[in-house]
Amino acid sequence: MKTVLLALILSVYGLTADSAVLKMYGKDIYGFDQPKYEEDYSEGDRRYIFNISALADSDNFPFSSYEQGSIFSKIFLDLKDATNAKITIRYKKDGYDEKVKEFERGALIIGEDINARFGVYYETYPFSKNSYLYPAFFENKVHLIMRAGEKLDLQGKNSLKNYKGIYSKTDRLPSHILKDFSSFGIEAVENLPSAFEQLLTGKADYIASSYYPAVIECYKQGIRKYVSFSKAPVWKAPMFFRVLPQTMDDERIENIKKYLKSSRYKKVREEAFKELIKIYEENTKGKVPPTYIGTSTAQSDEEDMDEE
């Protein structure tokens, strides 16, 4: 039975037992084992692999979350197939902040061979000795979330001041977006569950949030049908790799740049995000919403997800 299940999982991800090995690395919040795929290659091939070992904050969606590891390892496998570059993510743990400072001084972190950081906004550490790898690996899109069936009468961003807006402190956003939040009177709340409760009990008119974490939280809370998302993002924030100078100088970096610009990468990334949302949609069917949801609260049957 286990053999059949493993074969099924591998086939869903477009991999075969000959091309990849499956490792399990813990359970998500629903108790599901989380798979991590690694391409299986011979010892002789290792000499030709371009290794990028990147520090990443495990709390910073989308690439570092333990729960989403299986999704994004799919992207990394395709990148390796296309460019012969292998990406390994080193998650946040004890001494992480010191390692970041050491890395930003342009030092290879001995013992872990870390030569990159993952999910960095542009203005972070502006005086670093290290370089951004262009183009951006991902663009974080910030949407407005409203109660289902309601719309805001907006004439540009300035009219957001006419409404009560909130955002979650857990949403990792760059300084230029947070500056806008301040000027428009958008206030911080502790987390997304608190933000959704305030929205759906009428204490706020909208939430400004990174799109994918908010959609996932809706499914986790059982409230997806009670909220709607703006069709287009109001803010966009590109996220990058930042790499050591000696890594950037490697001629094989050009292969990664070409891949990030390619339609192939866009297609793989879109499919990975759709799969991520589908996992939460399927695993939360029948989820009972919080008690603050009243029978009079509107429900939306309209599909309003803005695709990557």
Side-chain angles (χ1 to χ4, degrees):
M1 182 66 181
K2 289 183 178 178
T3 303
V4 174
L5 180 59
L6 175 59
L8 177 61
I9 292 174
L10 288 173
S11 65
V12 169
Y13 278 80
L15 301 169
T16 68
D18 293 332
S19 65
V21 291
L22 177 64
K23 296 181 179 179
M24 308 309 289
Y25 67 108
K27 297 180 182 294
D28 68 4
I29 58 174
Y30 300 108
F32 294 101
D33 286 328
Q34 293 295 287
K36 182 176 181 180
Y37 298 96
E38 291 187 1
E39 190 165 350
D40 189 17
Y41 50 86
S42 67
E43 185 66 32
D45 293 334
R46 293 181 186 274
R47 294 174 298 172
Y48 306 106
I49 300 296
F50 181 44
N51 288 296
I52 292 181
S53 182
L55 283 169
D57 185 343
S58 59
D59 296 327
N60 193 8
F61 185 89
F63 305 105
S64 306
S65 170
Y66 297 117
E67 293 174 30
Q68 278 81 54
S70 59
I71 300 300
F72 295 103
S73 61
K74 251 178 83 172
I75 296 175
F76 295 154
L77 280 180
D78 188 72
L79 184 146
K80 180 182 175 296
D81 184 57
T83 68
N84 214 26
K86 181 180 180 182
I87 294 176
T88 304
I89 299 298
R90 307 292 187 187
Y91 290 112
K92 181 177 179 179
K93 48 189 173 184
D94 291 342
Y96 174 82
D97 292 336
E98 288 304 314
K99 288 179 181 178
V100 166
K101 291 177 182 177
E102 185 178 353
F103 168 79
E104 295 295 352
R105 289 195 292 266
L108 177 69
I109 300 178
I110 305 301
E112 296 184 62
D113 294 331
I114 291 171
N115 57 4
R117 277 189 69 203
F118 200 19
V120 183
Y121 288 124
Y122 185 77
E123 77 274 15
T124 308
Y125 284 90
F127 304 110
S128 170
K129 292 184 178 180
N130 304 319
S131 303
Y132 291 97
L133 177 58
Y134 295 101
F137 198 92
F138 169 72
E139 187 168 63
N140 188 17
K141 297 178 180 181
V142 178
H143 287 246
L144 300 184
I145 308 169
M146 292 133 309
R147 292 180 289 273
E150 296 185 10
K151 290 186 178 180
L152 307 181
D153 182 16
L154 299 178
Q155 305 296 324
K157 287 183 184 179
N158 261 342
S159 53
L160 288 171
K161 295 178 180 178
N162 301 329
Y163 299 91
K164 171 72 172 179
I166 56 177
Y167 73 97
S168 170
K169 291 179 182 178
T170 59
D171 202 356
R172 304 299 179 88
L173 297 169
S175 59
H176 75 274
I177 293 180
L178 294 175
K179 184 177 180 181
D180 266 7
F181 283 5
S182 178
S183 65
F184 300 145
I186 304 174
E187 299 177 0
V189 297
E190 284 304 310
N191 49 43
L192 274 173
S194 175
F196 280 119
E197 180 175 359
Q198 291 194 36
L199 175 71
L200 293 173
T201 55
K203 296 176 183 176
D205 297 311
Y206 69 88
I207 302 169
S209 176
S210 296
Y211 181 77
Y212 289 104
V215 173
I216 289 170
E217 190 62 39
C218 284
Y219 282 118
K220 288 160 65 174
Q221 295 291 318
I223 58 173
R224 181 64 188 90
K225 289 185 176 294
Y226 297 94
V227 299
S228 63
F229 289 68
S230 59
K231 291 290 185 182
V234 181
W235 293 271
K236 296 181 180 181
M239 299 175 77
F240 298 87
F241 277 107
R242 199 207 286 278
V243 300
L244 296 177
Q246 59 267 38
T247 304
M248 184 64 84
D249 289 341
D250 194 295
E251 60 184 15
R252 293 171 293 183
I253 282 287
E254 290 303 316
N255 293 333
I256 298 177
K257 290 181 179 180
K258 290 177 182 177
Y259 175 79
L260 295 179
K261 294 176 183 176
S262 69
S263 58
R264 169 176 174 165
Y265 169 60
K266 183 177 181 181
K267 182 175 184 292
V268 169
R269 184 182 62 190
E270 286 177 350
E271 288 177 351
F273 276 102
K274 287 178 181 177
E275 184 174 357
L276 171 64
I277 297 300
K278 192 67 176 177
I279 286 174
Y280 279 93
E281 182 181 5
E282 292 296 325
N283 288 342
T284 56
K285 283 183 176 178
K287 173 73 175 179
V288 178
T291 55
Y292 63 74
I293 296 290
T295 55
S296 61
T297 304
Q299 295 189 36
S300 173
D301 293 323
E302 180 184 357
E303 178 59 51
D304 58 7
M305 290 189 182
D306 179 73
E307 295 182 358
E308 178 77 3

